[in-house]
Amino acid sequence: MTLPSNPCSPIPPQAWQRPLGEPWPQHYVVRYASNLDDGPCHGAPLGGLGAGCFGRSPRGDFNLWHLDGGEHTYLEIPACQFSLFERSATGQTQAYALSTQTPRDGSLSAWQWYPATTGDRPTGTYHALYPRSWYHYQQVFQAQVTCSQFSPIWPHNYQEASYPVAVFDWSFHNPTDQPLTLSLMVSWQNLVGWFTNTQPSATVHQRDDGSPYYDYHPALGQSQGNYNRLVTGDDLMGCVMDGAWDHQAGPREGQGQWCVATRPAPDLEISYDLRWNPAGDGRDLWDSFARLGRLMNLLDTSPAGSGEQVGCALALRFTLAPGASRQLPVILSWDLPVTEFAAGTQAYRRYTDFFDRNGTNAQAIAATALAQYPQWQRAIADWQQPILDRPDLPDWLKMALFNELYDLASGGTLWSTASPADPVGQFAVLECLDYRWYESLDVRLYGGFATLLLWPDLEKAVMRAFARAIPSQDARPRIIGYHLLQGQENPVAPRKLKGATPHDLGAPNEHPWQQTNYTSYQDCNQWKDLGSDFVIQVYRAFKFTGEQDLGFLQDCWPAVVDTLQYLKHFDRDGDGIPENAGAPDQTFDDWQLVGISAYCGGLWLTALEAALAMAEVLTQAGVAPGNTPILVTQYQRWLDNGRRAYHPKLWNGRHYRLDSGSNSQIVMADQLCGQFFARLLDLPDLVETDCILSSLEAIYDACFIRFNQIVQGEAAPQAQKFAGSALGNFSAPALGQEIGVANGVLPDGKAEDPDSTHPLEVWTGINFGLAAFFAQMGQVDQALAITQAVVHQTYSYGLQFRTPEAITAQGTFRACHYLRPMAIWGLLQCLDHHPGS
């Protein structure tokens, strides 16, 4: 769609686009009924990292609310909206709330809602290139209107990126030969106190898939005592939304303020209403606005009574001369400084290092945004534009690189205040919203590329948290979900063993960073990849940040020693490589591996190489512990023995076998993950180059080409089979479309076990990581083909801004808002830094 010329609002052509309000005739649906599926109407989130965020969809409605750290609320709040009034020189008027979604709860029935795009009438387009997004409106108003919205997020920014603020930079242009009077209204419901758990409990339940979860009951609609007040000044005019919380004692979770504000100007008429009813038909606000383009300047600051809702609104009215343009900033800020975990356990958000903790800074944050947002826009553009200008990268890849970073804001993100131990605070992103625990170490092995390359100090903060957790222990028993599903009686294991690398940094309902290993689907004390993952990621963080931060290595080295020693205990036959035990004991936690495996064994060998490299750095700097020479000798012996075992036991002449004990004939897509990281970190190769290339050829042929040929051949009958079923709007992939690389299939692309789960899924993050491996080895065409398939499925079938862990050939997905897809930044790294790319 070609946009009319608008000098105020250039939109990068690489941005993802969606016609305003256009329905999704085909989209993926959730695989398991207990997993989250909010539908396809998602847009880029707004809000700083760890500050809480909300989402505004391609329909124009605000519908996703991640304002309570680690918790998810999907709810259309119609009163939170922009509306536009237009009067022509002949006196004709029109006014629309700028969402195509009519309220489903029957509220605001007096409002006129923006018409959705139809086949014969496009009414505008939504664009997204995170952290920026745009709404361009057309063929409804005479004026050309664009809203550019963003939060101040750009790399190596550890201050503004944490701010709880959204900037809406509105652009208006009059292309006619007559003046136009316009009025932009922003209305907002007072949400103070809504986003906190009213029934906090550490009780863990088991889903139908065996994974643990806990209940969340937010205080939605509990507005008694909430009130609004007008704030004015030379550089700001707006409305602060507050509540009846104890301002002397300070806020608890969910308590604080919201603020909506703009910049006054002599030729801008600002009118307001401080108390209107968002739960009614909306006439108290709409009648005046739709008739005159202004509000009645009602200064009612009385608090909401029991069961009552209260909203505020500003209307900004101005006249545009023929050919004239104007920009109007509207700022939405919030100050909800406390995140509570278990009852009585809390953290202050990172932005309170720059504003205080009293919960009354919403106006100050808005004022800061009004003063600085042009510089913020430039900083974001200066970061993105060099990538957007590159002729060697396809536009779809440029789009996906930026948009996949959405999860750093909306992934239930925590970012706490700074301390001497954590100079930029502690940081954590959920594995996903269905698996609500933080920074799953196996997942972030690929997903951590985003923080590694863009916010490396946050990457180090995460790794320090794991280093502190490794020597701890937690003997509390808990039920292991996988074994429960297998029918075992009393399948109980201790939560965390001393020396074991934890799977995760804990969950929002306990105490993240302190109580780790929350997941109980498997006994992660038995996993054979976590210790290796930790060691590799520590060295990766050191290597990718200049190889100068000796303090970081010193902080992590004792944990490196502990976890390698712990993991070596699983080497039952003394061949130098820990054995997998038959139960799923690695990141593919529904997939049984037996004996030494290509996946875990390769990670182990790379971890030993990384440990030796770290020991050398510490020794050369004169800061190595006294027992380091003994450890070096030990690690070298383990490595030598392991290398002698790995290739002979696993090589089948074309690729590396899944494992040494199951006799499986599967071609595993991620079989050489360890080799990928070895070369990425300039460590010695684990296997010969010819074997690497042969394995990649086998993977591409079986798991991509042949698998997708089968998928395409079965797509039509699958679509027929599932049409009208309980899956609802089922969409099997269209004929001729690849969906990505399957985790593991036979050489002919078929399933070894048609009832298996993980082998037949396409894991988005694994695909991006595998693409990085292909790029690393100079096979750029294959890398881009794999990546394009996954990007196409994500952004064409309603998975945008909720990228899942897995998609299937049946048109289903699992585990949305997943951490691992940020591995796409590893692909960019390999395209830029390896021969042949």
Side-chain angles (χ1 to χ4, degrees):
M1 182 182 298
T2 302
L3 299 180
S5 175
N6 186 342
C8 300
S9 299
I11 300 174
Q14 298 89 350
W16 180 72
Q17 300 183 27
R18 185 78 187 169
L20 293 184
E22 182 178 74
W24 291 82
Q26 294 180 309
H27 59 83
Y28 278 85
V29 295
V30 76
R31 182 171 190 177
Y32 300 112
S34 61
N35 277 200
L36 180 68
D37 186 358
D38 294 320
C41 293
H42 288 266
L46 293 158
L49 309 186
C53 71
F54 52 85
R56 189 181 180 202
S57 86
R59 300 178 305 203
D61 58 319
F62 292 88
N63 61 5
L64 179 140
W65 310 89
H66 288 183
L67 292 158
D68 182 352
E71 310 299 351
H72 168 75
T73 299
Y74 186 85
L75 175 70
E76 296 156 14
I77 304 181
C80 296
Q81 191 50 252
F82 287 97
S83 302
L84 187 62
F85 165 92
E86 181 182 70
R87 184 173 65 214
S88 69
T90 62
Q92 292 180 317
T93 64
Q94 58 177 337
Y96 291 98
L98 297 178
S99 170
T100 65
Q101 180 61 48
T102 302
R104 304 182 197 202
D105 60 4
S107 65
L108 308 186
S109 58
W111 291 28
Q112 187 77 13
W113 298 88
Y114 194 76
T117 288
T118 62
D120 57 357
R121 187 196 183 193
T123 61
T125 314
Y126 171 79
H127 307 252
L129 196 69
Y130 186 78
R132 299 184 289 174
S133 51
W134 298 260
Y135 292 83
H136 180 80
Y137 305 91
Q138 63 183 122
Q139 295 195 37
V140 174
F141 299 103
Q142 295 185 62
Q144 293 174 359
V145 182
T146 301
C147 176
S148 169
Q149 55 186 33
F150 65 94
S151 292
I153 295 169
W154 61 87
H156 307 286
N157 169 12
Y158 300 96
Q159 180 169 330
E160 291 87 352
S162 73
Y163 286 2
V165 68
V167 177
F168 301 88
D169 188 15
W170 288 86
S171 301
F172 305 93
H173 176 68
N174 181 0
T176 75
D177 59 1
Q178 297 292 323
L180 291 174
T181 297
L182 300 169
S183 181
L184 177 70
M185 180 173 72
V186 54
S187 56
W188 207 257
Q189 189 156 354
N190 188 318
L191 308 176
V192 172
W194 284 29
F195 298 102
T196 186
N197 199 352
T198 61
Q199 301 177 33
S201 171
T203 302
V204 177
H205 309 284
Q206 302 291 141
R207 281 200 189 91
D208 58 0
D209 63 0
S211 61
Y213 75 97
Y214 62 89
D215 290 322
Y216 177 62
H217 302 276
L220 302 176
Q222 297 185 20
S223 300
Q224 185 172 355
N226 286 1
Y227 63 93
N228 306 322
R229 58 185 172 85
L230 191 69
V231 291
T232 60
D234 293 340
D235 297 320
L236 176 146
M237 183 171 181
C239 175
V240 168
M241 292 158 271
D242 212 321
W245 53 277
D246 189 338
H247 289 61
Q248 293 299 316
R252 299 192 300 272
E253 183 180 67
Q255 297 176 339
Q257 296 178 335
W258 289 75
C259 179
V260 58
T262 191
R263 180 183 294 132
D267 58 348
L268 180 66
E269 179 191 9
I270 304 176
S271 55
Y272 51 85
D273 188 334
L274 300 186
R275 199 182 194 284
W276 66 281
N277 178 19
D281 63 10
R283 290 188 184 279
D284 50 347
L285 193 70
W286 191 258
D287 283 355
S288 174
F289 176 73
R291 184 166 53 90
L292 302 171
R294 69 181 311 278
L295 303 176
M296 303 308 293
N297 290 345
L298 299 179
L299 273 169
D300 187 349
T301 61
S302 60
S306 177
E308 192 176 15
Q309 301 297 315
V310 61
C312 67
L314 299 175
L316 318 177
R317 191 169 70 173
F318 57 96
T319 298
L320 274 183
S325 298
R326 181 168 194 154
Q327 289 184 261
L328 284 179
V330 175
I331 306 298
L332 183 65
S333 61
W334 55 101
D335 185 10
L336 307 173
V338 176
T339 294
E340 185 174 61
F341 308 124
T345 302
Q346 65 182 37
Y348 287 99
R349 288 173 157 150
R350 166 65 170 171
Y351 75 87
T352 63
D353 284 335
F354 314 108
F355 300 90
D356 60 44
R357 299 179 177 182
N358 62 22
T360 58
N361 294 291
Q363 179 181 346
I365 295 167
T368 299
L370 281 171
Q372 298 182 7
Y373 81 88
Q375 295 96 296
W376 297 350
Q377 284 178 308
R378 283 195 294 273
I380 296 170
D382 288 347
W383 160 43
Q384 292 187 335
Q385 201 59 47
I387 294 177
L388 298 180
D389 288 342
R390 286 180 54 169
D392 61 316
L393 301 179
D395 283 354
W396 57 262
L397 177 57
K398 299 170 187 176
M399 177 276 293
L401 279 167
F402 293 112
N403 282 336
E404 288 303 320
L405 295 175
Y406 81 95
D407 198 52
L408 291 176
S410 71
T413 310
L414 303 178
W415 190 359
S416 70
T417 50
S419 68
D422 293 288
V424 297
Q426 291 189 289
F427 185 80
V429 177
L430 292 174
E431 179 174 334
C432 68
L433 294 177
D434 286 304
Y435 314 147
R436 267 185 295 172
W437 39 85
Y438 282 103
E439 291 294 343
S440 299
L441 191 65
D442 55 319
V443 174
R444 73 177 326 281
L445 179 67
Y446 280 135
F449 273 108
T451 45
L452 174 73
L453 298 173
L454 303 176
W455 288 273
D457 289 353
L458 298 182
E459 176 75 4
K460 290 179 181 178
V462 172
M463 298 318 299
R464 283 190 173 98
F466 275 103
R468 293 173 193 138
I470 285 172
S472 69
Q473 60 183 1
D474 185 342
R476 288 178 294 168
R478 72 262 186 85
I479 294 173
I480 302 304
Y482 175 82
H483 296 301
L484 187 69
L485 293 179
Q486 301 301 311
Q488 295 186 18
E489 293 185 10
N490 196 31
V492 172
R495 177 160 173 167
K496 167 71 173 68
L497 296 179
K498 182 178 175 63
T501 298
H503 170 271
D504 54 76
L505 294 177
N509 69 322
E510 292 190 339
H511 192 179
W513 303 301
Q514 299 298 318
Q515 293 178 296
T516 62
N517 236 23
Y518 184 85
T519 183
S520 59
Y521 179 64
Q522 296 285 1
D523 178 7
C524 294
N525 296 296
Q526 306 300 314
W527 277 27
K528 308 309 186 296
D529 55 352
L530 292 174
S532 301
D533 292 344
F534 170 73
V535 176
I536 290 169
Q537 289 179 68
V538 167
Y539 187 57
R540 182 176 72 176
F542 175 76
K543 184 85 174 174
F544 274 68
T545 56
E547 302 183 66
Q548 300 297 315
D549 192 349
L550 293 176
F552 171 71
L553 277 194
Q554 288 177 283
D555 289 345
C556 296
W557 178 252
V560 168
V561 174
D562 286 351
T563 199
L564 288 176
Q565 187 66 44
Y566 178 90
L567 190 52
K568 183 61 169 62
H569 289 157
F570 295 107
D571 178 13
R572 308 300 189 191
D573 60 4
D575 67 356
I577 301 177
E579 282 83 44
N580 294 91
D585 53 4
Q586 26 68 41
T587 194
F588 302 95
D589 55 2
D590 257 354
W591 199 351
Q592 296 183 358
L593 307 181
V594 183
I596 67 170
S597 64
Y599 178 72
C600 294
L603 289 171
W604 165 253
L605 296 177
T606 300
L608 291 175
E609 292 185 343
L612 289 168
M614 287 186 275
E616 176 67 16
V617 170
L618 294 172
T619 300
Q620 290 296 323
V623 294
N627 66 339
T628 301
I630 297 174
L631 292 172
V632 167
T633 300
Q634 185 180 65
Y635 296 163
Q636 190 63 57
R637 184 175 68 255
W638 294 351
L639 177 62
D640 292 342
N641 289 342
R643 287 171 65 92
R644 282 193 290 267
Y646 185 80
H647 180 83
K649 289 187 177 183
L650 294 171
W651 180 248
N652 70 1
R654 188 176 183 221
H655 62 85
Y656 288 88
R657 288 193 290 269
L658 180 70
D659 57 39
S660 63
S662 70
N663 199 34
S664 171
Q665 302 304 305
I666 274 181
V667 181
M668 186 188 195
D670 214 22
Q671 60 185 262
L672 287 180
C673 179
Q675 168 59 43
F676 165 71
F677 280 102
R679 189 167 287 203
L680 184 81
L681 299 176
D682 297 323
L683 298 169
D685 284 339
L686 307 182
V687 298
E688 297 295 329
T689 299
D690 288 348
C691 295
I692 300 172
L693 295 175
S694 178
S695 296
L696 288 178
E697 181 183 6
I699 293 165
Y700 193 78
D701 181 59
C703 301
F704 187 63
I705 299 297
R706 295 180 184 273
F707 168 73
N708 280 285
Q709 287 172 347
I710 294 172
V711 167
Q712 292 159 17
E714 294 179 352
Q718 286 169 350
Q720 182 66 33
K721 174 181 176 182
F722 286 98
S725 72
L727 291 176
N729 291 321
F730 173 82
S731 171
L735 292 175
Q737 292 182 2
E738 294 90 1
I739 68 169
V741 173
N743 282 327
V745 292
L746 296 172
D748 62 2
K750 295 179 180 178
E752 185 175 59
D753 175 5
D755 295 325
S756 61
T757 53
H758 290 178
L760 296 180
E761 290 181 328
V762 171
W763 285 14
T764 56
I766 294 291
N767 270 244
F768 294 155
L770 183 63
F773 192 6
F774 274 97
Q776 181 188 80
M777 298 306 296
Q779 299 185 11
V780 175
D781 290 344
Q782 293 90 329
L784 294 181
I786 292 168
T787 307
Q788 186 175 21
V790 175
V791 168
H792 177 75
Q793 295 297 317
T794 301
Y795 289 89
S796 297
Y797 293 104
L799 295 175
Q800 75 289 338
F801 305 109
R802 55 171 188 151
T803 310
E805 159 77 315
I807 58 177
T808 73
Q810 288 74 42
T812 64
F813 72 88
R814 179 174 59 81
C816 61
H817 299 258
Y818 208 73
L819 170 62
R820 191 155 21 206
M822 286 187 287
I824 197 168
W825 282 85
L827 170 60
L828 181 65
Q829 172 71 18
C830 289
L831 289 172
D832 286 345
H833 292 92
H834 289 276
S837 59

